[in-house]
Amino acid sequence: MAKKKPAATRDDVSRLRNIGIIAHIDAGKTTVTERVLFYTGKEHKMGEVHEGLARMDWMTQEQERGITITSACTTFEWAGHRLNLIDTPGHVDFTAEVERSLRVLDGAVVVFDGVAGVEAQSETVWRQANRHRVPRLCFVNKLDRIGASFERSVESIRRRLESNPVPITIPHMNGQEVLGIVDLVTREYVTFDEETLGREVSRREIPDELVDDTELARAELVEAAADHAGDDVLERYLEDGDLAADDLRSAIRAATLAMQMQPVLCGSALKNKGVQLVLDAVVAYLPSPLDVESVTGTDPRSQKPILRKLRADEPVSAFAFKTHGDSHGDLTYVRVYSGVLRVKDQVYNPRCDRVERIGKLVQMHADDRIPVDEVRAGDIAAVVGLRFTVTGDTLCPKNQAILLESMNFADPVISLAIEPRSSADKDNLETALEKLARDDPTFSTHIDEDTGQTIINGMGELHLEVLVRRLDEEYRVRVQTGKPRVAYRQTVASSSQAEREFEREVGEKTQYARVGLRLDPVPDLARTEFFQFGEMDSSARKFLPNVKSGALSSAEGGVGYGYPCVQLRVTLLAAATRDGDGTEAAFEAAANRAFSDAFEAAGCVVLEPIMQFEVQTPEQYMGDVLGDLSRRRAEISEMLDEDGVRSIRGTVPISEMFGYSTSLRSQSQGRASYSMEPHSYAPVPPEVADRFAW
């Protein structure tokens, strides 16, 4: 275990780490976090997930379900460093929590189940970390389980994630028991005292029977890290064929920060073995905020790039990455990238052109709030009571405004009709839904024009089930729900164009506009995009925002089968009016009509959300599982055999997967499991398209 060092101060950014714990569901993220809190002295008792007592799973539903639903933050000290840690959900329905956490974190610890290795959501969070350029460590957990294999897990990380995992520790196993762990960097054998729940850590010489395996694994580690060593260290390596512990640490750190290598550690968090070594590795190898010296944004007025350095004397720039409303006051979680954010500051939100007052700053420990007077560059905290700020907003001085890059989230794939149970519930429902949508960027609501029902949209059945319960438990709004419905989309079958006029007498004035549009299907586009191309007379140019608004409002569900349009590019070909007759309403209406005509001429294609899935089942149930998947229109892409457990991977329409968990349990006597994540949208086949009526 690391030697005791002086406590980190808030001014010493080099000894600050902003890290996240990410993984597939049930890999043991929260159990790892509970041990971290215990060993760092943040908590005096370890809470167990299976008992509903995990400190970071503070929501009632998290405790009942035994899963993490919302990301939770905490701050603690280890080896003279201060760590801000975010424990994230592993279920795909709550992947937005991972996305917004990784947006502001400097490093991450990816936890893997020692039996399953890389799983479906492991791939998702790994891709998210790649997208945000987040260096990471790997922790192969649950090595005490039957069928666990450290070597196989490392190989699955290398193969399925196309990465470079390199062990820096290896386990000493006796059957399914982890006797100890070999530290390859220091060539020491590490054990964890069971009477003190692993708090007492001992280091000694490596047992003779492990020396050969240790030297072989260490040679591979040294070779992998040496490519990233400094010139002096590399010269010593070439002379000696080995590296001293300090030189090896610096080389591993350089390779990790360059994302050319992912150090791999091992253990069993539930059995209290290996977690301290993970903490040591976080301090030694993951970046401090100083490793990212500056942040780039844009001037909200000129759109020119602006650079802000990680210094206290720079103008403040803070990024809001999460909001959470409750009875104690709405929270906005922020990462400060430059300057100092202080209580009573007046800050500007360029997105909505509003000024906010910093009434109270708090450091979070799960749902506990510890007041602080200021938050300096590089740090993470929460602001209480902001009125206008939402996820993805920037806070800065109004006279030195900057707009930091926001975030994109996946579109909802499932919807549900809800109705209030009483008139009192009806009065409060709209307000409650607005608050939930403000906090969750993957949740939205709308009113069905045909039925008048309130429709809520989310990422899966569990996502919507959790939110419906929150309506009851947190907002005291009781609702009844219908059956889940698929969030279909639509696009055009071919390119087409149309031109329409709008002319109307309003009082003594004539309103007139003419708009020409072209629609093109573009499979790579996630949404509808609008482009200006072609001729516009000078009197029509100022109405361009209204042309865009009219076209995009039609694309949001005003044509075809009434579903939002995706994979579609709208190009403005022409816009004109007569002197003095142009109005905003006229151009919006003309664009709306032109879009509708072009859409009808092009032909409508209904798209359904496709999910990527992975089913793990014992061999004897393979036939039944495959037969059921085939009936659900699944396309199998890969089947693997891992120690008698078959993994089936592929894609399937989400419309066919409602109630699948019950069916799978029945087919396998409860021994099979599965996971899904959004993959793409695809045209519905002809036999399904017949169900839709235009």
Side-chain angles (χ1 to χ4, degrees), residues 234-489:
L234 184 58
E235 185 175 336
R236 288 194 288 274
Y237 168 66
L238 294 175
E239 289 178 357
D240 304 334
D242 197 2
L243 289 176
D246 287 344
D247 287 343
L248 183 53
R249 286 192 189 96
S250 67
I252 294 171
R253 177 177 171 80
T256 304
L257 297 190
M259 295 182 64
Q260 299 299 310
M261 168 181 160
Q262 294 80 38
V264 185
L265 300 100
C266 60
S268 170
L270 188 63
K271 297 299 177 64
N272 310 314
K273 295 177 180 179
V275 174
Q276 292 96 324
L277 299 182
V278 175
L279 286 168
D280 291 341
V282 166
V283 166
Y285 308 126
L286 290 184
S288 78
L290 288 177
D291 291 301
V292 184
E293 295 182 355
S294 58
V295 63
T296 302
T298 57
D299 186 312
R301 298 176 183 85
S302 67
Q303 302 302 310
K304 293 181 179 179
I306 302 175
L307 188 71
R308 290 277 163 83
K309 295 183 178 179
L310 187 87
R311 297 197 320 224
D313 57 356
E314 285 272 298
V316 67
S317 60
F319 183 79
F321 65 94
K322 173 182 168 73
T323 62
H324 180 77
D326 63 22
S327 58
H328 303 292
D330 292 350
L331 283 173
T332 304
Y333 292 77
V334 297
R335 161 78 186 259
V336 179
Y337 283 97
S338 65
V340 183
L341 191 65
R342 297 183 175 88
V343 173
K344 298 182 181 179
D345 277 355
Q346 300 282 336
V347 290
Y348 176 63
N349 184 333
R351 177 193 60 82
C352 57
D353 192 25
R354 296 276 193 166
V355 174
E356 300 263 33
R357 182 178 182 275
I358 306 299
K360 188 176 182 181
L361 289 168
V362 293
Q363 207 86 52
M364 299 301 297
H365 176 49
D367 58 336
D368 288 344
R369 308 178 180 190
I370 300 95
V372 295
D373 295 327
E374 63 181 27
V375 186
R376 305 179 73 84
D379 214 344
I380 291 174
V383 187
V384 181
L386 296 184
R387 296 177 58 196
F388 310 108
T389 302
V390 297
T391 298
D393 284 354
T394 305
L395 300 176
C396 56
K398 188 169 185 177
N399 61 348
Q400 293 173 301
I402 184 174
L403 196 59
L404 301 178
E405 183 182 359
S406 190
M407 292 180 282
N408 293 318
F409 297 97
D411 290 330
V413 296
I414 192 172
S415 61
L416 199 67
I418 63 172
E419 294 180 352
R421 292 190 177 181
S422 67
S423 57
D425 293 320
K426 182 178 180 179
D427 295 338
N428 297 325
L429 178 60
E430 183 177 350
T431 301
L433 290 176
E434 286 178 358
K435 290 182 178 180
L436 289 176
R438 181 177 184 267
D439 292 347
D440 187 344
T442 60
F443 172 71
S444 63
T445 70
H446 70 276
I447 304 296
D448 188 306
E449 294 183 0
D450 295 330
T451 65
Q453 289 179 304
T454 298
I455 308 297
I456 59 175
N457 313 290
M459 299 305 296
E461 291 178 90
L462 178 61
H463 185 205
L464 295 183
E465 184 182 328
V466 166
L467 291 173
V468 168
R469 275 196 58 184
R470 287 187 63 190
L471 285 173
D472 184 11
E473 295 173 354
E474 297 179 27
Y475 297 98
R476 301 293 185 264
V477 177
R478 297 173 304 153
V479 297
Q480 51 192 15
T481 62
K483 293 182 179 180
R485 300 189 296 187
V486 177
Y488 290 103
R489 297 291 185 263

